[in-house]
């Protein structure tokens, strides 16, 4: 069945001399894989540029029931991106975000609201001033939790409370399990709830503090997505920020 799809590219790996396999996410089909010609001509170069991590494109896809890998053609930019892959720091963030999405979106039905959030985030990353990008990955991860059903509940936070990472809520005293944050770290979770792409640059952190926040978010995600320990792009991000 031929369908026009909007997709965000996540990862492309070489499969053979003639084809690569693109993993992507679509609001129409969810996580989906395509066989992409791996030629060396002008059209192949254009297509590779469009399908770099977090590339937003529209394509005509031949979706065949029962098949894991489909075909695509008529690839064009859904949103022209100019700043992500031209800037090494933004490119590193894109690799990290795309790798994480490739893990957490392995299951689940198509979600138009989730795709809209990813699209909006990619556009923000593309346009943000490089000097204000250091907290982007933290802001993205926190916001993504809302669409995955794991957003922390912070409305009842009061100073001195602990954050129960297992249940995603605040408690007056530590729970019976070990998956909770002490008061100082719990206060950071409540502060993160106020972060967005417009104000993220106002959250001043040292590299050590930023990596500590990232570790906490990934620990929280890992309670729901155990494969996050295999993120290959994480070390690069730690060095940059």
């Amino acid at each position: 069945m031929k369908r026009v799809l909007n997709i965000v590219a996540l990862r492309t790996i070489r499969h053979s001399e003639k084809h690569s396999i693109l993993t992507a996410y679509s609001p129409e089909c969810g996580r989906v894989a395509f066989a992409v010609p791996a030629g060396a001509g002008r059209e192949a170069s254009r297509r590779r540029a469009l399908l770099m991590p977090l590339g937003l494109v529209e394509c005509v896809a031949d979706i065949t029931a029962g098949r894991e890998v489909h075909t695509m053609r008529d690839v064009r930019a859904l949103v022209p991106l100019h700043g992500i892959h031209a800037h090494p720091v933004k490119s590193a963030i894109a690799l990290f975000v795309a790798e994480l999405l490739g893990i957490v979106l392995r299951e689940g039905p198509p979600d138009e609201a989730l795709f809209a959030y990813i699209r909006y985030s990619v556009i923000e990353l593309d346009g943000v001033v490089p000097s204000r990008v250091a907290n982007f990955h933290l802001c993205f991860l926190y916001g993504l939790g809302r669409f995955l059903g794991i957003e922390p509940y912070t409305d009842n936070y009061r100073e001195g409370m602990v954050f129960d990472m297992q249940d995603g809520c605040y408690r007056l005293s530590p729970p019976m399990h070990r998956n909770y944050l002490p008061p100082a770290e719990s206060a950071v979770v409540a502060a993160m709830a106020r972060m967005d792409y417009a104000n993220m640059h106002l959250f001043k952190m040292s590299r050590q503090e930023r990596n500590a926040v990232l570790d906490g978010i990934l620990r929280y995600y890992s309670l729901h997505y155990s494969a996050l320990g295999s993120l290959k792009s994480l070390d690069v991000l730690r060095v940059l920020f």
Side-chain angles (χ1 to χ4, degrees):
M1 176 188 297
K2 287 182 171 55
R3 301 181 63 181
V4 176
L5 300 183
N6 296 326
I7 68 170
V8 55
L10 300 178
R11 183 188 183 196
T12 302
I13 58 173
R14 194 65 176 257
H15 179 67
S16 66
E17 291 186 2
K18 294 184 177 181
H19 290 92
S20 296
I21 302 298
L22 167 70
T23 302
Y25 184 79
S26 163
E28 298 89 0
C29 297
R31 193 172 185 267
V32 62
F34 298 101
V36 180
R42 180 179 298 178
E43 176 58 25
S45 297
R46 184 191 73 87
R47 185 168 51 242
R48 278 195 297 273
L50 290 174
L51 297 176
M52 294 185 76
L54 298 190
L56 294 165
V57 303
E58 179 186 270
C59 67
V60 176
D62 191 354
I63 304 296
T64 304
R67 293 186 60 178
E68 294 185 359
V69 180
H70 311 281
T71 59
M72 66 189 312
R73 59 181 174 82
D74 298 340
V75 179
R76 70 175 187 86
L78 183 62
V79 176
L81 302 177
H82 306 288
I84 292 181
H85 297 292
H87 193 280
V89 173
K90 290 186 180 184
S91 181
I93 294 174
L95 285 172
F96 170 77
V97 168
E99 185 181 8
L100 181 133
L101 288 174
I103 295 172
V104 302
L105 299 181
R106 283 178 179 170
E107 299 179 2
D111 188 328
E112 291 187 5
L114 171 58
F115 182 83
Y117 172 71
I118 296 171
R119 171 177 168 160
Y120 168 70
S121 298
V122 172
I123 294 172
E124 288 293 313
L125 176 60
D126 188 62
V128 67
V129 176
S131 62
R132 296 185 172 187
V133 79
N135 291 330
F136 180 90
H137 55 302
L138 305 181
C139 189
F140 174 81
L141 286 173
Y142 196 99
L144 181 64
R146 299 173 190 140
F147 299 92
L148 299 179
I150 60 172
E151 179 184 12
Y153 180 75
T154 62
D155 288 358
N156 67 329
Y157 171 71
R158 298 293 181 272
E159 186 177 353
M161 298 180 79
V162 300
F163 181 65
D164 184 335
M165 300 183 79
Q166 195 162 295
D167 291 338
C169 63
Y170 281 94
R171 300 190 184 281
L172 292 172
S173 59
M176 298 299 292
H177 54 77
R178 296 181 177 180
N179 296 316
Y180 70 92
L181 298 177
E185 295 178 29
S186 296
V188 176
V189 178
M192 287 291 297
R194 301 193 298 271
M195 181 185 286
D196 56 35
Y197 294 135
N199 68 19
M200 63 184 179
H201 65 285
L202 300 176
F203 288 72
K204 304 300 183 182
M205 288 180 262
S206 67
R207 177 176 298 183
Q208 182 178 2
E209 290 169 335
R210 188 172 289 108
N211 281 326
V213 173
L214 177 59
D215 287 341
I217 296 176
L218 291 179
R219 179 185 169 195
Y220 182 63
Y221 267 71
S222 293
L223 294 174
H224 306 273
Y225 303 97
S226 59
L228 284 186
S230 63
L231 287 167
K232 297 179 180 178
S233 56
L234 184 57
D235 289 342
V236 175
L237 216 59
R238 292 192 193 282
V239 172
L240 289 173
F241 303 116

